[in-house]
Amino acid sequence: MSKKTYQVPRGTKDILPEDQVYFDYLLDTFETVVSSAGYKRVTTPVFEDTGLFVRSVGKGTDIVDKEMYTFNDKSNNSLTLRPEGTAPIVRAYLENGMQSWPQPVKLYYFMPMYRYERPQAGRYREHWQFGFESIGDKDPIADVTVISTAVRIFKNLGLPNVSVQLNSIGDSVCRPKYIKVLKDYYKDKLNKVCPDCKRRYEVNPLRLLDCKEKQCQPIIEEAPQFINYLCKDCHDHFKEVLELLDEINVSYDLNPRLVRGFDYYTRTVFEFWAGREGFAVGGGGRYDRLVELLGGKATPALGFAAGADRIVNELKNNPELEIKPSKKIDVYVAQLGNEARKSCLKLLSGLWDTGIAAEGCLDRGSISEQLSTSNRLKAKYTLIIGQKEAYDETVIIKEMASGNQEIYPQDQTMKEIKKRLQ
Ligand code: HAM
């Protein structure tokens, strides 16, 4: 009978130790920045009630219409693997009574997301996002702090050339008016647009603006721009955001085509592009109606999330960046013979108890095989316990760089190693 082998599902990947180092670096850098800005970490379940995403992200969006991993559990509840983090965070904010905490409530997360997208470079069906949300913040200063915090994260990661794309998509006062203007503009051009845009025209007209099809580009170029149709409140809010960004020297590109793919956004929206146009390593914006839409009292809010997998790919392509490898092995313990195995186990446990990075061979390889493993791991010291040493209750400490060897009583080995590693 042939043995069946298995592969990861399409669009997913294993994160192997050599890549995990980059993810750890990313999380570390991100946490340092956001925790100094007062954000606290939360983690929500991998799956949620399907209705949460349908209601917040919205029918007619690609995520809800095409990309959700939705299934019924054994009690016939419709559940969906989390495609994004904002709606679950707002659900958690409401469910855990955070409306009565001092506002704004500032939360951050590092969680995997699931979208049934066509896999390609930088686009996966399981991807990791780190993000932060500030709930209960209305002032344009909040928009500017969120944007500049994201800029700081990219700078600290060693990706200073990420551009900020910025737009305002208004609110429930001006958006319906703008959509009417946009639809009027498209009406007599529908025979020239791609099939997807014909659908967008009906279900989600704002998304006409970020179509990537060549035939739609000249039409988008000439399309009316939302910033010229903002109501007074949205206009004033956006103007102040821009002025404050100038004030703190954060540069940005005004991008009238930026609309984002979620219904919950209002007013300021932004994306962070690395290198290639449209290659977003992060995105976010205001969602002033979402808390209310999910059953809370009207609460303005905004946030940002970045794609960890895409950023790791960028970091790996940056030869100037030096990422510290995960903890290196300092000590390797080699042994030969039954008694020595027991001493080796005791020594290893002692080393681990004191937090020294150590590995050892409890198997039955030859000493020379074990020494070459120690070399491969780049251990600074190898502790050797052969049959004679086990009998004498001693240990040979071999310094790998010089090859020098010295014999110590077993009960003094830990002290000596600690001293040498200091
Ligand atoms: P988003 O733009 O859909 O926003 O996702 C955030 C980032 O996740 C993207 O900029 C991209 O880097 C990464 N990303 C998205 N989809 C994939 C994929 N299939 N494969 C790899 N990376 C991907 C949100 O999800 C919003 N919740 C952000 C937000 C937070 N808005 C307000 N607060």
Side-chain angles (χ1 to χ4, degrees):
M1 199 173 71
S2 73
K3 278 193 194 151
K4 182 164 170 38
T5 58
Y6 296 93
Q7 282 90 40
V8 290
R10 199 161 123 75
T12 69
K13 61 187 169 359
D14 299 312
I15 304 177
L16 298 177
E18 69 252 31
D19 279 356
Q20 197 64 59
V21 177
Y22 286 88
F23 278 82
D24 293 349
Y25 164 76
L26 215 154
L27 179 58
D28 203 39
T29 311
F30 166 65
E31 278 191 316
T32 306
V33 174
V34 292
S35 46
S36 6
Y39 290 84
K40 304 274 183 266
R41 186 167 181 176
V42 284
T43 303
T44 61
V46 166
F47 51 83
E48 298 268 358
D49 191 321
T50 300
L52 173 69
F53 299 113
V54 175
R55 182 176 265 203
S56 52
V57 176
K59 280 208 181 91
T61 60
D62 283 352
I63 289 191
V64 168
D65 287 4
K66 305 185 202 160
E67 296 170 1
M68 295 205 303
Y69 279 91
T70 298
F71 58 96
N72 279 7
D73 70 4
K74 289 188 170 36
S75 311
N76 230 12
N77 299 311
S78 179
L79 300 171
T80 292
L81 297 187
R82 173 183 55 212
E84 65 98 43
T86 307
I89 299 291
V90 172
R91 196 252 327 121
Y93 168 88
L94 289 169
E95 188 171 346
N96 296 288
M98 295 185 211
Q99 286 221 298
S100 60
W101 293 11
Q103 308 288 305
V105 173
K106 296 165 99 179
L107 303 168
Y108 77 90
Y109 49 92
F110 184 61
M111 308 192 293
M113 308 292 163
Y114 300 86
R115 295 181 189 179
Y116 188 78
E117 293 193 84
R118 190 143 30 95
Q120 52 177 256
R123 198 198 281 159
Y124 309 100
R125 290 183 174 170
E126 178 189 64
H127 71 278
W128 286 78
Q129 282 187 16
F130 58 86
F132 55 92
E133 314 289 342
S134 179
I135 307 177
D137 231 340
K138 174 161 132 266
D139 201 276
I141 287 190
D143 305 43
V144 172
T145 351
V146 166
I147 294 168
S148 62
T149 301
V151 168
R152 189 169 308 115
I153 292 167
F154 289 116
K155 202 169 123 240
N156 290 7
L157 281 171
L159 295 172
N161 295 327
V162 171
S163 73
V164 182
Q165 306 293 312
L166 199 59
N167 196 15
S168 173
I169 54 168
D171 62 7
S172 54
V173 175
C174 49
R175 194 173 314 162
K177 290 183 192 152
Y178 172 69
I179 285 179
K180 185 170 180 317
V181 172
L182 188 66
K183 284 187 88 169
D184 284 350
Y185 166 78
Y186 264 84
K187 206 178 199 159
D188 59 358
K189 301 176 181 64
L190 285 176
N191 54 346
K192 296 194 197 117
V193 301
C194 72
D196 248 354
C197 277
K198 289 198 175 83
R199 190 181 65 89
R200 288 183 186 120
Y201 179 83
E202 297 302 337
V203 296
N204 201 347
L206 265 194
R207 293 290 278 182
L208 287 164
L209 295 173
D210 72 352
C211 175
K212 306 288 178 296
E213 289 298 321
K214 204 167 164 220
Q215 71 197 87
C216 300
Q217 301 315 304
I219 302 169
I220 298 172
E221 289 291 309
E222 300 297 317
Q225 301 190 355
F226 206 149
I227 43 172
N228 298 327
Y229 295 86
L230 293 172
C231 59
K232 181 160 182 341
D233 286 351
C234 289
H235 174 270
D236 291 351
H237 185 98
F238 195 48
K239 186 162 167 271
E240 202 173 337
V241 170
L242 302 185
E243 281 168 6
L244 290 167
L245 284 170
D246 292 339
E247 188 82 26
I248 58 166
N249 294 321
V250 171
S251 40
Y252 52 84
D253 298 329
L254 280 181
N255 184 341
R257 296 179 56 165
L258 188 72
V259 288
R260 311 269 303 137
F262 305 81
D263 277 1
Y264 55 61
Y265 286 118
T266 47
R267 295 193 169 170
T268 321
V269 286
F270 41 86
E271 274 186 2
F272 292 76
W273 291 358
R276 288 171 276 150
E277 187 184 322
F279 184 69
V281 284
R286 266 202 173 272
Y287 46 92
D288 290 345
R289 303 288 309 281
L290 186 56
V291 176
E292 200 181 356
L293 190 70
L294 295 180
K297 60 174 192 270
T299 309
L302 76 166
F304 158 86
D309 313 76
R310 289 188 186 175
I311 295 174
V312 166
N313 292 344
E314 292 297 303
L315 293 173
K316 284 165 82 176
N317 289 335
N318 181 350
E320 279 157 38
L321 190 78
E322 233 185 87
I323 306 274
K324 270 202 247 112
S326 54
K327 201 163 188 188
K328 279 247 183 66
I329 292 297
D330 284 325
V331 179
Y332 189 83
V333 188
Q335 50 76 34
L336 199 68
N338 237 349
E339 276 312 303
R341 281 177 72 227
K342 289 183 203 153
S343 313
C344 171
L345 179 62
K346 270 197 230 154
L347 259 179
L348 269 179
S349 307
L351 290 163
W352 288 333
D353 280 346
T354 48
I356 293 174
E359 269 197 45
C361 177
L362 298 172
D363 248 326
R364 292 189 160 79
S366 71
I367 289 283
S368 68
E369 274 167 9
Q370 296 180 49
L371 279 172
S372 70
T373 306
S374 175
N375 260 326
R376 196 166 43 80
L377 292 170
K378 300 198 172 74
K380 293 192 187 108
Y381 297 98
T382 305
L383 309 182
I384 306 168
I385 314 172
Q387 273 155 347
K388 181 174 180 316
E389 288 77 26
Y391 183 76
D392 294 347
E393 297 191 0
T394 54
V395 174
I396 302 171
I397 300 185
K398 181 179 170 87
E399 189 184 36
M400 299 305 281
S402 63
N404 289 343
Q405 299 193 166
E406 281 176 75
I407 299 182
Y408 281 82
Q410 272 181 25
D411 57 4
Q412 286 176 32
T413 312
M414 286 293 298
K415 201 168 145 214
E416 177 62 22
I417 279 293
K418 269 201 250 170
K419 194 175 89 195
R420 291 192 188 198
L421 286 174
Q422 253 163 23

